[in-house]
Amino acid sequence: AFADDLARGVLARHAVADDPFALSRALILLPTRRAIRSLGEAFARVSPGGVAVLPRMRALGDFDEAPSPLDDPTTEDVAAEIVPDLPPPLSPLRRELLLTRLIQRWSLDVAKDEARGVMRATTPALALKLARELAALLDQATAEGLAWEKLKTIVPQELSLHWEQTIAFLTILTEQWPKLLAGERASDPAAHRDAALRLAASRWKAAPPSFPVIAAGSTGSVPATAELLKTIAYMPNG
């Protein structure tokens, strides 16, 4: 089991018999909060005498209202206590609700049946489903560093009519979403997370932390995460 083997390896390398707090100085970066819970349980299983103090563990892939996926407000010496120069991130739930509102407003503007003079607005349930799809697209585009302005040039001319309808819908993300974020004085959570990871990579490259930093279970498929993994791989204690 991956979590059990990781726990054994960390204990073998960083646990000190006469220092019960030695393990707590290590920082382990995992893909998700679920992975953090699994690793915490694994430490309890594989440690012969039990673990009094666990290593610090942070999730690279999950993000919420925290300033940074690497933030540790209780420890002053954590170089990853990094808050990018961005407004605080929206919570995922708040983002869904705001996108839902934009979709409902958009549907009222463009879905009018002119012949019958009736409005065929998107239902709240469908608007919420579409908001979750747009949020996933927004995360993917942010992670891959994609440029929204290229949308209009990537489809052949013979498909342009259908694509124009798609682009019209995506103006929710390309035009309305940035304005809404500015009004909320907030940043998109995925953009905030990526900025924090890139800043951590930059600062750790310039000044590697003195404590052990272990990244485990991440494939580095997101460019910002890959940049941080590469930095950790070349650190003396990484």
Side-chain angles (χ1 to χ4, degrees), residues 197-218:
L197 295 180
R198 293 185 188 281
L199 190 53
S202 174
R203 292 188 178 178
W204 278 354
K205 188 178 296 183
S210 59
F211 51 84
V213 179
I214 302 159
S218 176

Side-chain angles (χ1 to χ4, degrees), residues 67-191:
S68 159
L70 304 182
D71 182 57
D72 185 354
T74 64
T75 310
E76 293 183 358
D77 68 339
V78 178
E81 202 174 77
I82 292 171
V83 181
D85 188 19
L86 290 171
L90 287 172
S91 70
L93 177 60
R94 175 71 175 162
R95 180 172 65 167
E96 279 187 6
L97 295 175
L98 292 173
L99 285 172
T100 299
R101 185 190 302 169
L102 289 178
I103 289 168
Q104 289 178 307
R105 188 183 305 161
W106 179 86
S107 72
L108 287 172
D109 290 340
V110 303
K112 183 175 182 180
D113 186 337
E114 295 181 357
R116 298 172 59 187
V118 298
M119 302 299 292
R120 296 179 298 185
T122 303
T123 64
L126 179 57
L128 178 59
K129 181 179 182 296
L130 291 172
R132 289 171 177 165
E133 296 288 349
L134 283 184
L137 177 62
L138 190 61
D139 289 347
Q140 184 177 3
T142 299
E144 299 296 337
L146 302 181
W148 293 114
E149 59 268 19
K150 293 183 179 180
L151 281 173
K152 297 180 180 180
T153 63
I154 62 176
V155 173
Q157 187 67 31
E158 59 269 21
L159 300 178
S160 60
L161 179 60
H162 174 72
W163 188 239
E164 283 177 5
Q165 296 171 344
T166 301
I167 290 177
F169 178 69
L170 290 179
T171 56
I172 293 172
L173 293 184
T174 60
E175 298 177 10
Q176 299 178 46
W177 184 241
K179 295 176 183 177
L180 190 148
L181 284 176
E184 290 277 317
R185 296 183 179 179
S187 61
D188 187 83

